[in-house]
Amino acid sequence: MNLLAVGSVALDSVKTPFGEVSEVLGGSATYFATAASYFTRVGIVAVVGADFPKEHVTFLKTRPIDLEGLAVTDGRTFRWRGEYGYQLNEARTLETQLNVFQQFNPQLPPDYRTAELVFLANIDPDLQLEVLKQTRSPELVALDTMNFWIDGKREALLKVLGKVNIVIVNDGEARQLVQEVNLVKVGREILKLGPKILIIKRGEYGALLFTRDAIFSAPAYPLETVFDPTGAGDSFAGGFMGHLARTKDFGMSNLRQAVILGSVMASYCVEAFSLERFRTLHSEEILGRYREFKRMTHFEEL
Ligand code: AMP
């Protein structure tokens, strides 16, 4: 196993200005693994309840996603309910039901323990730590989180932040994490917490990659149809980590390519509710949009 992710597998109820869906497939690990699966095989560590519809498992099995680490226990699946206004950048969480995640005690299958890349998707930081403990010195560990955990589990989150190489968060969460407004200062402060690389996702404004001595700024793909931003961040992370897992090159120029592939995957995610767009997405389309990105952002030396 090349790439491993711990995170939520969820039933989401989402309202946007363009429509509404109830109890559809969602979750940070689900979006991440589906996007990453276009680049490499990926294993999921998560839990669902007995109520989790079989059709969702069937869909995940159509992708190169390993589900040995997906536990099924008695009880209800994690549920998240949120809505977006016309300003689609920030979700308003209306309800979070942790359900089976409250007692989840992850046990990594032997094959997962030797994963070279690990993604700690948005989930309880104590679970992120537990999964990390069971791995054998992965080459690269990245983490995502959200306001729910920054507020509710700050200490555990700071502990896990000290053990990862890359942090991938959105702008609001990055500001909240270090209580600073200016994003360049935010970047510097977060890098002091341990990670060597920080990516700040800025929704329709693109993404910024910070290292101690460089900044790379990528735009978002200018889309005409944005339906539902849910999962965009995780799909970004899936494209980013999937490319790194496939190429095993963590140099700056490959990191820049990974940021663009992350942006490509996020742009496809938001075109439809839930994971619908990924049901029809082909690798050639990913390559096509990557090239459009290159054309769109290229400019000549003076
Ligand atoms: P994103 O839009 O990429 O930030 O992630 C959206 C996904 O995160 C949704 O599918 C939710 O099911 C999931 N999610 C929301 N809140 C939480 C939480 N507190 N812990 C884990 N996953 C969550």
Side-chain angles (χ1 to χ4, degrees):
M1 182 72 54
N2 226 339
L3 176 60
L4 168 68
V6 58
S8 56
V9 172
L11 294 174
D12 287 349
S13 298
V14 180
K15 192 172 173 187
T16 80
F18 315 107
E20 194 171 347
V21 285
S22 173
E23 306 227 326
V24 293
L25 177 61
S28 55
T30 316
Y31 280 105
F32 174 84
T34 305
S37 72
Y38 284 86
F39 304 88
T40 188
R41 192 165 176 79
V42 47
I44 288 185
V45 179
V47 60
V48 291
D51 60 349
F52 190 64
K54 301 261 177 310
E55 70 204 61
H56 297 334
V57 176
T58 308
F59 163 69
L60 293 171
K61 282 187 177 161
T62 64
R63 307 286 324 155
I65 297 175
D66 194 297
L67 296 178
E68 209 190 327
L70 179 67
V72 183
T73 63
D74 285 342
R76 277 164 66 77
T77 298
F78 174 94
R79 279 166 171 77
W80 177 76
R81 198 157 60 82
E83 68 177 14
Y84 301 82
Y86 280 99
Q87 173 63 24
L88 289 165
N89 275 351
E90 201 100 18
R92 198 161 2 163
T93 293
L94 301 175
E95 194 182 1
T96 304
Q97 292 181 24
L98 294 175
N99 295 336
V100 288
F101 268 105
Q102 265 163 321
Q103 291 89 33
F104 183 44
N105 181 14
Q107 290 303 319
L108 263 55
D111 185 34
Y112 283 34
R113 294 174 190 251
T114 52
E116 290 166 356
L117 283 87
V118 175
F119 184 62
L120 308 173
N122 175 27
I123 196 68
D124 186 332
D126 280 326
L127 284 178
Q128 293 178 321
L129 270 173
E130 186 50 44
V131 165
L132 205 50
K133 257 192 225 154
Q134 294 180 35
T135 59
R136 295 206 191 101
S137 46
E139 281 180 46
L140 194 89
V141 181
L143 165 145
D144 186 5
T145 192
M146 72 181 290
N147 43 19
F148 190 83
W149 306 113
I150 298 173
D151 280 346
K153 285 248 177 155
R154 192 175 178 83
E155 243 167 67
L157 182 60
L158 289 175
K159 199 164 160 194
V160 63
L161 272 169
K163 297 180 190 295
V164 306
N165 311 95
I166 305 185
V167 172
I168 307 177
V169 280
N170 74 28
D171 45 2
E173 290 150 2
R175 289 185 168 112
Q176 189 184 352
L177 189 58
V178 289
Q179 279 138 34
E180 174 63 69
V181 178
N182 177 281
L183 279 187
V184 179
K185 287 187 184 151
V186 167
R188 203 178 311 130
E189 289 305 312
I190 293 182
L191 291 181
K192 282 187 196 159
L193 299 175
K196 293 224 163 13
I197 297 169
L198 164 69
I199 295 175
I200 299 185
K201 300 166 287 180
R202 305 176 63 224
E204 62 180 315
Y205 306 112
L208 290 168
L209 180 144
F210 293 85
T211 64
R212 289 209 171 116
D213 39 37
I215 296 181
F216 173 58
S217 169
Y221 185 78
L223 271 182
E224 219 174 303
T225 36
V226 179
F227 240 87
D228 173 16
T230 309
D234 304 303
S235 304
F236 175 98
F240 177 84
M241 291 292 281
H243 177 69
L244 294 183
R246 183 172 63 178
T247 55
K248 309 249 177 69
D249 170 357
F250 311 139
M252 193 60 189
S253 111
N254 208 48
L255 286 170
R256 291 160 79 113
Q257 289 186 325
V259 167
I260 300 300
L261 284 167
S263 308
V264 168
M265 298 314 285
S267 76
Y268 281 118
C269 170
V270 304
E271 284 183 357
F273 277 109
S274 181
L275 286 97
E276 286 309 305
R277 185 61 181 90
F278 292 121
R279 291 179 194 268
T280 57
L281 182 67
H282 292 291
S283 298
E284 307 80 66
E285 294 175 274
I286 296 172
L287 194 60
R289 200 165 272 186
Y290 180 89
R291 290 190 174 133
E292 279 185 60
F293 251 101
K294 183 158 166 38
R295 278 195 295 274
M296 208 174 67
T297 53
H298 178 82
F299 53 88
E300 305 298 340
E301 183 61 81
L302 283 178

